[in-house]
Amino acid sequence: MATVQQSIDVNVPVSTAYNQWTQFESFPEFMGGVESVVQRDSTHLHWTTKVAGQTREFDTLITEQEPDSRVAWRTEEGTEHAGVVAFEALGPTTTRVNVQFQWDPDSAVEKIGAFFGADDMQVRSDLKKFKDFIESRGTETGAWRGDVGSTPQSGEVFESGPEGTTGLGGTTGTGPGTGTGLGGAGGTTGAGGGTTETGPVI
């Protein structure tokens, strides 16, 4: 298994950084190799990536989502991939974004890249692009602030910096209310916990 752990400080409030990260369909704007992300429902994403000339498609399940704190995910089948992004408020307008994930390189190119640390460099570059993206805007493109719960399973506990640990691959709890999604801006509007949430048309 290859492991990557990187962090970056962004000059926006923690809620802004977190809100933008919930807009999964915007990932291609700052993630290298990500061709598209399609939000299928409140916890399922379909990814299309292209790395070293190889195009791959896979589905991920959001196993944990806690507003202004963390988002965790894992693949449902195929190449094993799991990770967590934790958000730490360093001040009223500064946030530390901590990223950690593991995956099973399933090609010679990916294995060589993992060995030489190319994955760390890619994640570092992606976080820098995220920093530039959100700081240049000053505000998020959208937000979903519902909760997704997860029960940690044996052997599936992931360290996540100073925030502690998060379980990956447990049962999925209740997602958002009706009419709301997670990724992309300018979607439908629905109700969630007495507040107005925005997301895409799923």
Side-chain angles (χ1 to χ4, degrees):
M1 295 289 287
T3 302
V4 170
Q5 184 169 357
Q6 294 289 337
S7 64
I8 197 168
D9 296 347
V10 296
N11 296 317
V12 295
V14 66
S15 60
T16 300
Y18 172 85
N19 288 345
Q20 184 59 55
W21 203 275
T22 68
Q23 304 305 285
F24 303 107
E25 293 187 349
S26 71
F27 280 5
E29 297 197 47
F30 53 83
M31 284 190 178
V34 177
E35 299 284 296
S36 67
V37 179
V38 177
Q39 183 76 48
R40 289 185 164 169
D41 58 31
S42 60
T43 57
H44 293 86
L45 307 173
H46 181 75
W47 297 66
T48 301
T49 63
K50 189 172 184 178
V51 179
Q54 298 185 32
T55 299
R56 299 182 184 279
E57 295 189 33
F58 56 92
D59 295 316
T60 57
L61 172 69
I62 298 169
T63 58
E64 184 180 4
Q65 190 162 337
E66 181 181 345
D68 298 341
S69 179
R70 67 213 304 107
V71 178
W73 70 92
R74 63 172 171 84
T75 49
E76 295 194 282
E77 60 183 24
T79 301
E80 186 177 349
H81 180 120
V84 61
V85 180
F87 302 84
E88 178 187 358
L90 301 181
T93 60
T94 306
T95 303
R96 178 162 294 158
V97 181
N98 301 291
V99 177
Q100 183 175 337
F101 65 87
Q102 293 180 333
W103 83 104
D104 183 17
D106 61 356
S107 74
V109 172
E110 290 173 337
K111 289 176 182 178
I112 292 171
F115 180 78
F116 285 104
D119 305 301
D120 287 274
M121 290 186 288
Q122 182 63 62
V123 173
R124 191 180 305 122
S125 174
D126 291 346
L127 284 176
K128 177 62 167 59
K129 290 177 183 176
F130 175 74
K131 175 182 173 71
D132 293 342
F133 178 82
I134 192 61
E135 287 183 357
S136 66
R137 288 183 53 84
T139 187
E140 58 269 55
T141 61
W144 183 69
R145 300 187 60 80
D147 286 277
V148 174
S150 176
T151 303
Q153 302 294 309
S154 177
E156 294 180 325
V157 177
F158 228 65
E159 291 293 336
S160 179
E163 296 292 329
T165 60
T166 182
L168 298 176
T171 57
T172 302
T174 303
T178 58
T180 60
L182 290 178
T188 58
T189 301
T195 60
T196 300
E197 310 289 351
T198 60
V201 178
I202 302 300

